[in-house]
Structures are given as C-alpha cells and as structure tokens.
Amino acid sequence: MTWKDLPAGPAECLAQLKAAGKAAYPVGGWVRDRLLGREAGDVDLCTAALPEEVMALFPAAVPTGLAHGTVTVPTVSGNVEITTFRREGGYADARHPDAVTFDVGLTEDLSRRDFTINAMALAEDGTVVDPFGGREDLKSGLIRCVGKAERRFSEDALRMLRALRFKAQLGFELEEKTGRALRANAHRVEKVSRERLRAEVEKTLLSPRPQVAGEMIETGLLDHLYAFPAGADLSGLAALPALPATPEARWRGFCNATGFPIAILPVERKLRRAVEHPEAAIIPTLALKPGDLMELGLEGPQISAAQKRLALHVLKKPGENTKEKLKELL
C-alpha cells in the first residue's frame, strides 16, 4: 500500500503539498480500512503546512474549520479535508478543543486522536507511521484509546459513541480499560448534539452488527434521552441483522425492541412516520382493496380502521396477505 493506491484527488493534493516542501500524509480511517482490506471511504490528509498556506496552495479551498486547522479542498474525487498538525488545549464543552496550536510534528498530531486504529498515517513509500500500536490492535480486533481512555472520553464525549459504532462496523471488541472508561464517562454524552448522536446510532444500526446499539443503552449512553426500564429486555435486538439495512427498517426494529421514542431525535418526517406508523406503507399493498371492504359492508372510518389492523397483521405475517386470509381475519 502506497500513495499510488490513493484516488486521484487526494494524490494530487499530496503532490502539491510535497512540491511546496510541506510534509503531508493520508491519515486515519482510509489507512485503517486499507490495512483491513476493506473498501476505504474518504481520504483525510494531515500536513505541516499552516492553514493559510493550504488555502494559498489550493485557491478553491473552503475554510471549513480554519480555527482548528482544517481546510476542505474540492477535487475530482470529491472533497478532501486537509488538517494541519496540531496540539489541542482543554475541552470545556466535552466536545471541541478550546484552542489549538500548530507547532507540533506528525507523532504528536497522531497522539491527540481517539483510537489507535485511527492514529496511523501512510508515508509515500508505503511505510505505516504507527506510534501507538494500531496495527497490532487491528490484528487483535481491539478498539483501544490512544493514551488514557478517561482523558480521551472527557475531551470529546462523541468518541464513546464512535467506539461502539466501530465495534459494530468492524466486529471488534473494546479493550478492557477503554470499556471501563466508557461506562464511567457515559453521562458526558448529554453534551453531544442530538444531530451527531443520531448519526452515530444510525451508522451503528446500519452496520453488519446493528444489535451493538443495545450496548449504547446498557452502558448508559442514551440515558439522558429516555428512561429505559431497569434491566430492560434487549433480546429483541438480536433480530435486527435480518432486517433490511435501511434507516426505516432498522430504526423501527430498534424502537420496537427497546421502547425508544424516535421523536426524541431530530429525524425527517418520513423516517419518523415509517417508524411510528409502519402500517402506512403496507396499506396500499393489501390484497383487500377499499372496494372489497365496501362490498363486505364496511364504510368510511370502518374501512380505514380495518386497513390499519390488517396492515399491522401483514407486517408480522407477510405470507397471509391474500384475499381469503384477510377476509377470514375481518
């Protein structure tokens, strides 16, 4: 694996930074996924170039997070985030650094990242810069915080949700100290915006192991949103992997199994309706049409009520969506 494996856009960005005499590397998720042999997503770059130098090198760049050293560059391969090597100050809001400085090198920049498997960079010759044992944790299937887990989670509470999301996506386990720190700091998640929380839960639900979302309940990460009954039975989540990997199906399965009210989160009306009224999508497919119900002596509100109850039945038993069976049920 070398820079030649990169998409054209990030490769061109690296070439321009190198030509300007600025050290730069692909970093984080792309490196991790390529080492795992998984399909890699967006490529993020880190560099010694200061944000204003990156802006000067790429005239079309957008200062999406200039105060924190991040610039987004439009390329033929999509947007590429380029972030200057940085040191972070305190985290008063348990989410964002109060201040950053750009007087560090690659190793210290990697030291501020969440997990060892995300704290790796790729040199041009294919050397993986891995000062915290990320490759070993990939081999062992472990999610381990860089440095002290307590500190990482107190800095940015979203990392706890990310830890379980990676567990669901990669099939890994939480390293022991990381797992203990997650439980001890779960209350900090109340400072995470509901938009970001919804996104992490949804990515977990859409993963190959959606039942891991139950651990967000067991560890207390969602306690500030909803009062789950003590010792809630989460066994129903075992059925989630069999559902279609769509937000509608997986959220509906999660909410039905846990009692979690989808309306607590900022979701689109279409998704909320699909979760709260799943029968609405089934009604048009019923074998008994409104005309059939009229012939059976139903009218007005009776027809609507019958359609809803029949649709709820068909949701549970799709094979019984025949005229004969539905008439029998009526």
Side-chain angles (χ1 to χ4, degrees), residues 1-81:
M1 178 175 67
T2 69
W3 288 5
K4 293 179 181 178
D5 299 311
L6 288 161
E12 177 58 28
C13 290
L14 286 167
Q16 288 188 241
L17 288 163
K18 180 182 177 182
K22 303 297 181 181
Y25 303 83
V27 68
W30 185 86
V31 179
R32 176 198 68 227
D33 288 342
R34 288 304 303 261
L35 288 172
L36 286 172
R38 300 174 78 239
E39 183 177 347
D42 295 338
V43 183
D44 295 330
L45 306 181
C46 60
T47 181
L50 294 172
E52 56 268 27
E53 292 175 324
V54 178
M55 292 291 293
L57 278 172
F58 303 97
V62 179
T64 45
L66 208 57
H68 295 152
T70 300
V71 170
T72 300
V73 179
T75 75
V76 294
S77 308
N79 291 338
V80 176
E81 281 196 357

Side-chain angles (χ1 to χ4, degrees), residues 290 293-305:
L293 296 173
M294 291 177 66
E295 290 178 5
L296 292 172
L298 302 183
E299 56 185 41
Q302 294 176 324
I303 292 176
S304 298

Side-chain angles (χ1 to χ4, degrees), residues 8 89 138 173 187 229-231 244 274 277 306 327:
L138 285 181
E173 293 298 327
H187 62 282
H277 299 285
K327 284 181 181 180

Side-chain angles (χ1 to χ4, degrees), residues 279 282 286 306-322 325-326 329:
E279 75 282 356
I282 302 297
L286 290 174
Q307 285 182 309
K308 181 176 179 178
R309 296 192 63 178
L310 291 174
L312 288 170
H313 179 85
V314 169
L315 263 176
K316 297 176 182 177
K317 299 183 178 181
E320 296 191 0
N321 189 13
T322 66
K325 184 60 182 178
L326 297 185
L329 288 168

Side-chain angles (χ1 to χ4, degrees), residues 65-262:
L66 208 57
H68 295 152
T70 300
V71 170
T72 300
V73 179
T75 75
V76 294
S77 308
N79 291 338
V80 176
E81 281 196 357
I82 303 177
T83 302
T84 301
F85 299 152
R86 75 191 194 198
R87 177 189 294 119
E88 298 177 344
Y91 284 73
D93 66 355
R95 181 69 187 92
H96 306 96
D98 300 332
V100 300
T101 54
F102 306 121
D103 57 349
V104 301
L106 175 62
T107 299
E108 187 164 351
D109 181 74
L110 293 175
S111 74
R112 69 176 175 81
R113 297 175 184 268
D114 52 7
F115 309 112
T116 61
I117 60 174
N118 295 333
M120 296 180 285
L122 182 68
E124 186 173 9
D125 63 1
T127 301
V128 177
V129 183
D130 176 24
F132 304 106
R135 296 188 80 169
E136 280 303 310
D137 284 341
L138 285 181
K139 291 177 184 177
S140 302
L142 285 178
I143 298 165
R144 181 196 310 269
C145 284
V146 174
K148 294 184 178 180
E150 287 274 353
R151 178 178 178 181
R152 292 284 87 87
F153 292 150
S154 65
E155 288 172 342
D156 184 353
L158 185 68
R159 289 168 174 165
M160 291 180 278
L161 294 161
R162 283 167 55 83
L164 291 176
R165 189 245 295 177
F166 286 129
K167 176 177 180 176
Q169 291 177 329
L170 303 177
F172 284 15
E173 293 298 327
L174 300 188
E175 178 266 336
E176 184 179 353
K177 291 181 181 178
T178 298
R180 287 204 304 267
L182 188 152
R183 291 179 179 273
N185 288 275
H187 62 282
R188 297 181 184 275
V189 171
E190 65 185 19
K191 296 187 177 182
V192 175
S193 74
R194 296 195 177 190
E195 289 80 7
R196 295 303 300 271
L197 190 149
R198 176 259 173 108
E200 290 300 325
V201 176
E202 187 164 297
K203 288 176 183 177
T204 302
L205 290 174
L206 296 179
S207 75
R209 300 163 191 84
Q211 64 273 27
V212 172
E215 295 185 36
M216 295 178 175
I217 297 173
E218 293 171 338
T219 55
L221 291 176
L222 305 183
D223 281 358
H224 65 293
L225 295 178
Y226 178 67
F228 294 96
D233 180 11
L234 302 179
S235 59
L237 294 176
L240 289 182
L243 298 177
T246 64
E248 293 80 7
R250 294 284 174 89
W251 271 113
R252 183 164 59 240
F254 177 76
C255 293
N256 287 344
T258 64
F260 183 79
I262 188 71

